[in-house]
Amino acid sequence: MLFTESVEVHRAPLAATAYTNHRDWQQAVKTWSGRASVQPDRSFEVRSPARETAQERLLIYLPAGVDVDSADRVLWRRRWFEVDGEPARWTQGSLRHIRIRAWRVVR
């Protein structure tokens, strides 16, 4: 696994509203940038008379020690992806790393 792609991890603070909390992406900060391995995962298409959308999914392998969370976003090739689920941390063996699934919707 070669870490050849430039990737950034961004995190947004929680903002309170009248009914709930949400992530304020206007105030997001970059928590990490560096090289990663980015692999295609799968794609889905939904077609209906009202809307056509597609999902692009990636597997991203980050170096061990990167601070990444399930609520973060990833910037890769000038496209934003959301982290999908908890990052998987591989701490054994010679190539320690973190695997995340990332996705975005294309309209």
Side-chain angles (χ1 to χ4, degrees), residues 10-17 20-28 69-73 82:
H10 292 254
R11 182 166 298 152
L14 280 174
T17 62
T20 187
N21 294 329
H22 70 280
R23 297 279 172 189
D24 184 2
W25 288 103
Q26 299 299 320
Q27 304 298 322
D69 189 62
S70 62
D72 293 344
R73 288 186 180 172
E82 298 203 20

Side-chain angles (χ1 to χ4, degrees), residues 46-53 107:
V46 176
R47 295 179 186 260
S48 71
R51 173 184 327 170
E52 282 191 32
T53 62
R107 290 182 169 78

Side-chain angles (χ1 to χ4, degrees), residues 89-97:
R89 300 180 192 283
W90 301 95
T91 59
Q92 301 181 1
S94 61
L95 187 58
R96 296 182 169 135
H97 63 277

